[in-house]
Amino acid sequence: MAAAHLHLPLAAVSHRFEVSALLLGALLVVGALASGLARRSFLSLTAVFVLAGFVLGDGGVGVVHFDARSGFVADLATVALIVILFRDGLEVESEMLQTHWHLPLRKLVLAMPLTAAIIALVTRALTDLSWTEAFLVGALLSPTDPVLSSSVVTDPRVPRLVRHSLNLESGLNDGLALPAVLALSAALTPGAGHFVWWQFVLADLAIGLGVGLAVGFASAKLIPRGQRLQDGIPPHQKALYALGTAFVAYGLAVLTPHGNGLIAVFVAAITLGIRRPDIRANFSRQAPDLVEIVKLGIFVVFGSLLTLHGLFGLGWAAVAIVAATLLVARPMAVFAALAGTATDTATRAFMAWFGPKGVATMTFSLLVLSDRIASGTQIFNLAALTVFVSIIVHGVTDTAGAEWITRRSEGAERGPISGRRGRRRRAARGPSASRGTRRAR
């Protein structure tokens, strides 16, 4: 009898795994077949994955089911963040980091808290959430997502300055938002006791930064540098070495004393990539397949968690908060933060729009949901709706936006052409090109 009782749960688990494996394989095949179409259109595979998860999950036919409060969902989201943050950190160029650090710094120090404050004000005005809960919503929705922004920061057509700025911003603001989310969650958790938020934030950031630098320097030193010594290590093993560095940095940072693992991963990647360009090159060649599988998994799971009832539980107030987050808070904050810089209006507009909400917001909102916060479910649903809309609209506009900013930058680089040499160039290009130059002026 006991054996029969034991057999039933095991059979159920096995059946769920078989269904999940079948769906994962089918989505990988469909995603591969649709990738060519996606490159030639506004279609985003990320948006397709989320919609597929929604249709297959509790909001649709109910074939796939995941518990939002389970450790599996939060762990999967964390793994996705580690992989993407590490890949993006390796892409940071030493020259750009030394000469063009002021734009991402302005967005991190000025735009990010301003975004959170505007969202908190709108949330407080439209809902019955308290000020602390409203600022928690602001902290959840203030960071941009490295997973969704990866399609832009890795696009060589986009100007280097824009890619560098968005990459550094999305890589660091996740880690900067996490202490605020944890501090506000602790303040809302019953029986949390005495909590000194500023001590927690300083320790969290300092440990993450320190561990990231230490792991990055150590990993760059540990692997042999000589050509002969490196010949015995295959390229794919060097890529695995780099990936192992990411998880070591995260693990060391979050162990006692608890630090910021996300910042540790990103800083370790920057350090390793600058000191060992050969490791960065090997990882870049091997990483795309891994990144796509991670993105597929996390966005399908996220889509399966959503239901229409949960997303629109607050009615039009939820819609207004999402609109304010994407169309008001982020653009206002970025334009204010970049005022007085040498960037033109087109560059500011592109960076203001391309601040997608994704895996980081989803992961942090799952942490809030797992705490015993009275309005935790409401806060999670607000964050989930914002992420869902952001995935759709930013996924649809990333290719068009990249092409637009590329055309603008190429037009600015050409500039006005005058004199005999300019007339010769215009004649060589033909009348259509001359008209294009006049229009650009």
Side-chain angles (χ1 to χ4, degrees):
M1 190 72 171
H5 283 295
L6 179 62
H7 176 72
L8 289 175
L10 288 177
V13 171
S14 176
H15 176 70
R16 286 198 298 269
F17 173 77
E18 291 165 356
V19 172
S20 300
L22 173 63
L23 294 174
L24 175 63
L27 288 170
L28 281 173
V29 170
V30 172
L33 294 175
S35 59
L37 176 63
R39 288 180 178 272
R40 296 190 299 269
S41 68
F42 63 87
L43 182 67
S44 165
L45 287 181
T46 300
V48 172
F49 292 156
V50 173
L51 291 173
F54 179 77
V55 172
L56 296 171
D58 295 336
V61 297
V63 177
V64 178
H65 173 74
F66 293 98
D67 183 3
R69 289 183 169 86
S70 69
F72 168 76
V73 175
D75 291 343
L76 179 63
T78 302
V79 168
L81 277 176
I82 292 172
V83 173
I84 303 299
L85 282 173
F86 189 77
R87 194 280 305 273
D88 289 351
L90 287 176
E91 296 292 331
V92 175
E93 302 174 50
S94 175
E95 176 190 353
M96 297 295 288
L97 187 63
Q98 294 175 6
T99 58
H100 295 92
W101 51 267
H102 59 288
L103 290 184
L105 180 65
R106 277 173 170 257
K107 287 190 287 181
L108 291 169
V109 174
L110 299 175
M112 186 177 172
L114 185 56
T115 300
I118 295 173
I119 295 171
L121 289 172
V122 174
T123 302
R124 174 61 176 158
L126 298 178
T127 68
D128 58 355
L129 296 177
S130 67
W131 277 112
T132 305
E133 292 167 337
F135 274 103
L136 177 56
V137 173
L140 287 170
L141 299 181
S142 59
T144 58
D145 187 63
V147 181
L148 292 175
S149 62
S150 61
S151 59
V152 170
V153 301
T154 58
D155 190 338
R157 300 174 302 170
V158 177
R160 287 177 67 199
L161 177 63
V162 176
R163 284 186 283 133
H164 168 78
S165 179
L166 289 174
N167 189 17
L168 271 183
E169 180 192 10
S170 64
L172 288 174
N173 63 14
D174 296 338
L176 293 174
L178 181 57
V181 170
L182 295 177
L184 290 166
S185 298
L188 292 168
T189 302
H194 185 60
F195 182 82
V196 184
W197 67 269
W198 62 269
Q199 290 181 355
F200 166 77
V201 170
L202 287 179
D204 185 76
L205 298 180
I207 293 171
L209 179 63
V211 169
L213 288 171
V215 172
F217 277 107
S219 59
K221 191 77 174 175
L222 185 59
I223 196 167
R225 281 183 179 272
Q227 189 65 38
R228 288 184 181 177
L229 295 174
Q230 289 196 57
D231 287 342
I233 305 177
H236 71 277
Q237 293 293 347
K238 294 177 183 177
L240 289 176
Y241 174 85
L243 185 62
T245 298
F247 286 93
V248 167
Y250 181 85
L252 288 177
V254 298
L255 288 174
T256 305
H258 302 294
N260 197 309
L262 300 180
I263 285 184
V265 170
F266 194 67
V267 171
I270 293 175
T271 307
L272 178 61
I274 289 175
R275 295 187 64 83
R276 295 300 300 268
D278 55 321
I279 301 297
R280 176 177 61 195
N282 281 288
F283 187 81
S284 297
R285 285 193 292 269
Q286 305 290 334
D289 294 339
L290 173 63
V291 170
E292 286 304 313
I293 292 175
V294 168
K295 287 170 64 175
L296 167 64
I298 190 58
F299 285 120
V300 170
V301 170
F302 172 69
S304 70
L305 297 175
L306 307 179
T307 63
L308 290 176
H309 174 73
L311 291 177
F312 297 99
L314 289 175
W316 286 108
V319 177
I321 291 171
V322 172
T325 299
L326 301 179
L327 301 177
V328 179
R330 165 79 181 179
M332 283 182 59
V334 170
F335 269 90
L338 299 184
T341 64
T343 55
D344 58 13
T345 303
T347 300
R348 295 180 195 178
F350 182 80
M351 290 194 286
W353 167 245
F354 215 85
K357 316 301 175 186
V359 178
T361 296
M362 182 184 70
T363 306
F364 300 160
S365 62
L366 288 171
L367 295 177
V368 172
L369 189 63
S370 64
D371 290 335
R372 295 169 296 160
I373 298 175
S375 301
T377 301
Q378 245 183 345
I379 294 172
F380 170 81
N381 286 329
L382 273 175
L385 179 60
T386 306
V387 171
F388 182 73
V389 174
S390 178
I391 288 172
I392 302 299
V393 297
H394 287 109
V396 166
T397 58
D398 60 354
T399 301
E403 292 175 351
W404 176 76
I405 194 66
T406 300
R407 290 194 301 269
R408 298 280 305 196
S409 63
E410 288 176 350
E413 287 175 1
R414 284 195 298 266
I417 301 175
S418 58
R420 182 180 300 174
R421 187 177 178 184
R423 286 192 295 272
R424 288 175 182 172
R425 289 185 183 179
R426 282 196 294 270
R429 287 201 301 267
S432 61
S434 299
R435 286 195 298 271
T437 303
R438 285 196 294 270
R439 282 196 299 268
R441 291 178 185 174

